[in-house]
Structures are given as C-alpha cells and as structure tokens.
C-alpha cells in the first residue's frame, strides 16, 4: 500500500457528513498511515473527538492552545509533518475561508502552513453547492493546486436529492492511495518539457508568434511533478505559472533561446517532452529601432529557418532516454504525425487535429491520438488538459516499462 508510513492530517469541519470521517480515519490507519485529526470547533457538534482520537491513536487538535495546560499547537510544525492533508467534510464556509486565507481556526491555519498536497472533499446541500460563490471558491482552491474530491449525487441531509454528498471514505482512501502510487512512478526521473509559443523579433515592438497558450505543456509539467519527477519547464512567453512546487521554469522568448536551453540540459534528463509550438522561421535581421511606416514603401521581411529542437535532441538521444513530440495537424493527421516521429527520432508522438472541436491552442480540453515507436496507436476522447496530461504520462511510463523488460 502506498499509504504505509504516510503522515496524513484529516481535517473535519462542521457538517453532518462528519460521522463518515470516523470510517475514513479507521481506513487510513488500517492502510498503514499515521493520522492526526484536526477539527473545527463546529465539527465537534457533529462527531465526538474521543471517537476520532481513539481511532487515530492521537489526541485530536481543535484549538490553538490546550485550555488546561496552555500547550500551544504549532500549525507550522503540523504543516511540515504532513505528507498530505485531507479535509473531509469540507463545508462551504471552510472552503470559503481556505480560498480567501481567513485563518480564524486551527484547521485553516494549518492548511495555510501546509507544504504537502491538500485534498478537499466538499459536503453541503445542493443549493449551497451550486451557488456561484461556492463554485468560485472551489475553482480558486483548484487554481492553488489543491485536489478537489468531487461530491457525489444522492440524498442529502435535507432529504433533497442532488450533488453535495461527501464522497464515500473508501473512495477518498483510493484517491489518496492512487496519488501516492503515482508519485512513485516517476520518482528519481528528470523530465524536461518545452511549452508555449516562441516569439521571433522583427523590431523592438513586433514579433512573429502563434496562438499557443502553453496550457498542455504546463499541465504535463504539473502532472510529472506530482508523479515524483524533477521537472524543468523551458517555456516560451505565456501567462501561466506551474501549480506544483518543484517545477523549475526556464523562461525563453525565441526558438533559438529555447534550442540552446534544451540542448544544454538534455544530457541530464531521462525524458524530454516537446509540447512547444516552435516558430519554424525567424526574421533574418532584427531592426534595432521601430520600423516606421514609410510612404508607399512596404517593408519586406526575409525569414531564415530556426533549428528543429526535437530533431536535434533526437540526434543526440542515447539509450535509455525518451523523447516525446507533439503534432498539431489540420490534414493527413496520422501520416504527418508518423512521419514526424520517424524524422525526429521520437519514441512517441501525441497528435491532435484542428479538425476536432475542443482540441488545439487555447482550449481547456484536448483530443489526442498517441503513436508509439512500438507501433501502438491509442485514440482518446475529448478530455480536460490535466486528464490528457495523465494519459500522456501513463503512456510514457508504459513505454519505459517495456524498455526495461526488453
Ligand atoms: N519542434 C521543435 N522545434 C521546431 C519545430 C518543432 O522542437 N523548430 C517540435 C514541436 O515541439 C513538436 C514537434 O517538433 O513536438 C512537431 O512540431 P511541428 O511544428 O508539428 O513540426 P514541424 O517539424 O515544424 O512540421 P510542420 O510545421 O511542417 O508541420
């Protein structure tokens, strides 16, 4: 079990689903985890702390101080101790506090200090769940890199039927166990990822660029880091930041800058994933002053070829290194993708077609087909980019497992 020896903080807030958290604590302890329960003052109205301290084998923490001894509970130490924190049930109120940094209790204070991944299992009435403020706060939590364990549909405490039931403890344990098993998958691996567009300067105020936003590459970088890899993200100009701590970002502007950063790092990496939309051409000369509009005179821009980064890495690739490319196509998709895999000496190519709605630049979704050097073809339905990142990394893991057993 991936949970053996893991330090888990279980945060309980004041909702009727708190009774289920006793089972969650029991199951986590049974899986070999060490559990520290933190309750909000309201949670104690719903479940008795003695039940939880008995099941976890540790006194429950709820206040900043133990009243009779004056002993201070350090949220900082707790935050550092934890390998993961799971807040179940998470009420609308606590979700709002977490999203906005309202640290008025031990649980939210510990959340703000925690360095470990945080899982949030909301539980509330269906109308509270559907309220725009709850939706916005949950999105904010997601954007901070927290993992939301979506509530299920079913009968709620109000006897109304809808979305808002806390996920069952067995499934929460599965999510945590899956998280820690994934984490081991790329542990010790060094992964380099290119992302975003490149800008090729014309003069100090203009460039040739493209519509890439970097979302796919950043999603892969976050997922690779979550799976335990040491990630370097060589990024063209985008408006994104990685969600996972531990992704090193190297900012570049042009294809040539991206090329030299990648070439100098490739030797040290195990896996390179080239998601960047690299400009194939750059202006032969960059004007040092803004090009002015002259009367009747249309400036001509002569272009020169940029280096092909993926192909250059393909030439340098040694036994045991894996090189993955992307192909965004508009026609003859499979033939073009397979041609690129061969020409650039890639081990795998991820094809997306602009003919598919929801695929390509700028969207939050993608629809991919994966081709591998061992001639597997896997076609996926339309998914969110983080889900697509998981599919891509699953295929990489499978391919490296095949390599080891070859
Ligand atoms: N690529 C690269 N450097 C370039 C061009 C592309 O590293 N100068 C990488 C991309 O990041 C991608 C793969 O090569 O992983 C294929 O990119 P694509 O633009 O589709 O390929 P090209 O070889 O430029 O082919 P074309 O533009 O003719 O379709």
């Amino acid at each position: 079990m991936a949970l053996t020896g893991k330090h888990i903080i279980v945060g309980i807030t004041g909702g009727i689903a708190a009774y289920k958290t006793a089972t969650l604590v029991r199951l986590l302890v049974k899986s070999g985890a060490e559990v520290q329960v933190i309750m909000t003052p309201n949670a104690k109205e719903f479940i008795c702390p003695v039940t939880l301290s008995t099941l976890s084998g540790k006194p429950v923490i709820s206040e900043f101080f133990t009243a009779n001894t004056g002993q201070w509970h350090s949220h900082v130490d707790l935050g550092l101790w934890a390998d993961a924190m799971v807040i179940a049930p998470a009420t609308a109120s606590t979700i709002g506090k977490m999203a906005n940094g309202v640290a008025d209790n031990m649980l939210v204070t510990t959340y703000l200090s925690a360095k470990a991944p945080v899982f949030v299992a909301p539980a509330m009435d269906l109308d509270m769940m559907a309220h725009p403020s709850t939706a916005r706060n949950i999105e904010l939590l997601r954007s901070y890199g927290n993992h939301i364990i979506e509530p299920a549909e079913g009968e709620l405490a109000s006897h109304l039927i809808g979305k808002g039931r806390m996920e069952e403890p067995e499934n929460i344990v599965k999510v945590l166990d899956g998280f820690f098993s994934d984490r081991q998958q790329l542990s010790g691996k060094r992964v380099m990822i290119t992302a975003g567009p490149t800008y090729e300067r014309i003069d100090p105020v203009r460039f040739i660029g493209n519509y890439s936003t970097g979302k796919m590459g950043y999603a892969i970088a976050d997922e690779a880091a979550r799976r335990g890899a040491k990630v370097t993200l060589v990024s063209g100009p985008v408006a994104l930041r990685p969600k996972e701590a531990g992704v090193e970002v190297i900012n570049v502007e042009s294809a040539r800058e991206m090329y030299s950063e990648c070439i100098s790092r490739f030797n040290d990496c195990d896996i390179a994933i080239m998601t960047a939309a690299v400009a194939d051409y750059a202006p032969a000369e960059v004007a040092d002053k803004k090009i002015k509009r002259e009367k009747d005179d249309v400036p001509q821009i002569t272009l020169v070829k940029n280096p092909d980064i993926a192909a250059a890495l393909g030439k340098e690739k040694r036994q045991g290194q894996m090189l993955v490319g992307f192909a965004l196509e508009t026609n003859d998709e499979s033939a073009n993708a397979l041609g690129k895999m061969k020409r650039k000496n890639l081990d795998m190519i991820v094809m997306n077609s602009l003919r598919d709605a929801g695929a390509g630049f700028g969207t939050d979704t993608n629809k991919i087909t994966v081709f591998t050097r061992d001639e597997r073809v896997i076609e996926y339905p339309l998914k969110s980019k983080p889900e697509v990142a998981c599919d891509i990394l699953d295929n990489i893991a499978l391919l490296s497992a095949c390599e080891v057993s070859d």
Side-chain angles (χ1 to χ4, degrees), residues 89 101 149 156 161 170 182 187 236 257 269 286 318 350 358 365 396:
I149 304 175
L156 305 168
I161 296 186
E170 290 76 7
D182 284 351
S187 147
E257 283 169 25
C269 72
V286 181
R318 28 163 237 275
V350 181
T365 52
I396 292 174

Side-chain angles (χ1 to χ4, degrees), residues 17 44 78 85 87-88 93 99 108 159 234 289 324 379 387 394:
K44 290 190 276 185
L78 275 168
M85 182 167 186
I87 297 160
S93 163
V108 182
H159 302 298
V234 183
K289 292 197 187 72
V324 178
E379 210 175 317
E387 286 170 324
D394 285 348

Side-chain angles (χ1 to χ4, degrees), residues 261-278:
E261 294 294 349
C262 289
I263 291 286
S264 66
R265 288 177 164 76
F266 187 53
N267 192 35
D268 288 335
C269 72
D270 303 293
I271 301 165
I273 309 172
M274 320 305 285
T275 76
V278 185

Side-chain angles (χ1 to χ4, degrees), residues 274-276 278-280 307-310 325-328 340 343-344:
M274 320 305 285
T275 76
V278 185
D280 288 325
D308 186 327
I309 306 166
F326 267 67
L328 175 60
K340 279 175 196 175
R343 218 167 40 247
K344 303 187 189 212

